[in-house]
Amino acid sequence: CAEGSLEWLYPTGALRLRLAPRLPPATAASTAKDRSPRHVTACVKPSGTFRGAQLYLEREGVLELLLPEAPRPRVRCFSWAPREKVALFLQATPHRDISRRIAAFRYELRGDRLALPALPAASLAGEGVCRPCNDTEILMAICTSDFVIRGSIRSVSNDAELQESVIGVSAARIHRQKFPLFQAGGRPAGTIRTPLRCGVKPGPGTFLFTGWLRFGEAWLSCAPRYRDFQRIYEGARRARQNPCEFPVD
């Protein structure tokens, strides 16, 4: 399944879960001209009561710890090349007592989507990279993102435990949202998340917020200032290089 959850009661021994998402033929092999071959991305999020096991990423026979026992409830994402063999390896931890333990987590497979991005002041891109999006990334983001919202930043709060920043956004226009992230009622408002290390701060102006859904939460991809986006889009349109049509005021 592309997404779901696993719950393991009283863990003993180990479970091995092979990750093999279906990929379109064009994704299975990159062209010689493509210097950045596409990767498959997956994310896992432990429950708040994850106990009794540790979760590892098994990549070509090598184990990498993803979730220790009793982890913080934060999302962990990882990527691999389509030809790599990967699996999740859930190893029970021994305990002398017989108290109830449940190792439970949710997961999402993201097909050939590139690693999820993040935003600083004007725009961001790259899973945990916190760098500004370039013009091409901005143009692709408006065509492929789960949400495209024009609006302003009304607040930024930081969660040190989850290492996340939560951006409160007041929406002037909802161009697209796959799920009702921004509820109507007066001026629509909602929240968008980004890694704490990106150092997002509240600032004036109108932005075009784009991004992905991760476990039902909105995560930031690119967020150019709207006037900069208008300039980029109009330039691409005149050169007939815009990847999709987008309403520009």
Side-chain angles (χ1 to χ4, degrees), residues 113-119 122-126 131-149 175-178 208-213 219-224 229 232-233 241-246:
R113 182 180 301 172
L114 297 178
L116 290 176
L119 153 131
S123 58
L124 317 286
R131 63 170 176 80
C133 291
N134 60 36
D135 292 358
T136 300
E137 289 167 335
I138 290 172
L139 292 171
M140 287 304 299
I142 64 168
C143 302
T144 61
S145 295
D146 288 340
F147 63 88
V148 181
I149 307 291
H175 292 279
R176 180 170 69 253
Q177 57 175 351
K178 290 187 176 180
L208 193 65
F209 298 95
T210 67
W212 310 106
L213 286 180
W219 281 81
L220 191 62
S221 175
C222 300
F229 164 72
I232 293 167
Y233 181 82
Q241 295 179 344
N242 50 317
C244 67
E245 293 294 326
F246 190 85

Side-chain angles (χ1 to χ4, degrees), residues 33-228:
K33 296 180 180 179
D34 185 5
R35 297 184 180 180
S36 301
R38 294 187 176 187
H39 283 65
V40 184
T41 299
C43 296
V44 294
K45 182 177 183 180
S47 68
T49 56
F50 187 101
R51 300 289 187 279
Q54 297 188 112
L55 181 65
Y56 295 85
L57 171 64
E58 180 186 316
R59 189 196 307 266
E60 301 293 343
V62 178
L63 295 181
E64 172 191 341
L65 181 63
L66 287 177
L67 302 176
E69 185 169 13
R72 291 184 295 179
R74 57 186 295 189
V75 175
R76 289 293 307 273
C77 294
F78 50 92
S79 298
W80 67 96
R83 294 181 182 275
E84 284 187 283
K85 294 181 179 180
V86 299
L88 293 177
F89 189 78
L90 200 57
Q91 175 70 55
T93 53
H95 290 276
R96 292 181 179 274
D97 62 274
I98 59 171
S99 59
R100 179 179 177 85
R101 292 182 178 84
I102 302 175
F105 62 88
R106 296 170 61 188
Y107 68 88
E108 291 183 355
L109 297 180
R110 302 181 179 277
D112 64 347
R113 182 180 301 172
L114 297 178
L116 290 176
L119 153 131
S123 58
L124 317 286
E127 168 88 28
V129 174
C130 302
R131 63 170 176 80
C133 291
N134 60 36
D135 292 358
T136 300
E137 289 167 335
I138 290 172
L139 292 171
M140 287 304 299
I142 64 168
C143 302
T144 61
S145 295
D146 288 340
F147 63 88
V148 181
I149 307 291
R150 189 195 314 176
S152 57
I153 299 175
R154 54 186 177 84
S155 65
V156 175
S157 60
N158 296 322
D159 189 322
E161 181 181 2
L162 297 181
Q163 290 294 293
E164 298 173 1
S165 292
V166 181
I167 307 167
V169 173
S170 180
R173 181 172 179 181
I174 299 173
H175 292 279
R176 180 170 69 253
Q177 57 175 351
K178 290 187 176 180
F179 297 93
L181 299 171
F182 288 75
Q183 302 292 343
R187 187 168 187 177
T191 58
I192 302 174
R193 297 171 184 269
T194 192
L196 180 63
R197 61 178 171 270
C198 290
V200 175
K201 294 181 172 58
T206 300
F207 296 83
L208 193 65
F209 298 95
T210 67
W212 310 106
L213 286 180
R214 189 188 291 180
F215 300 106
E217 297 172 337
W219 281 81
L220 191 62
S221 175
C222 300
R225 292 187 180 276
Y226 188 67
R227 63 173 181 270
D228 293 333

Side-chain angles (χ1 to χ4, degrees), residues 13-28:
L15 294 177
R16 185 175 182 274
L17 313 172
R18 187 184 172 206
L19 301 179
R22 295 179 180 178
L23 300 175
T27 305

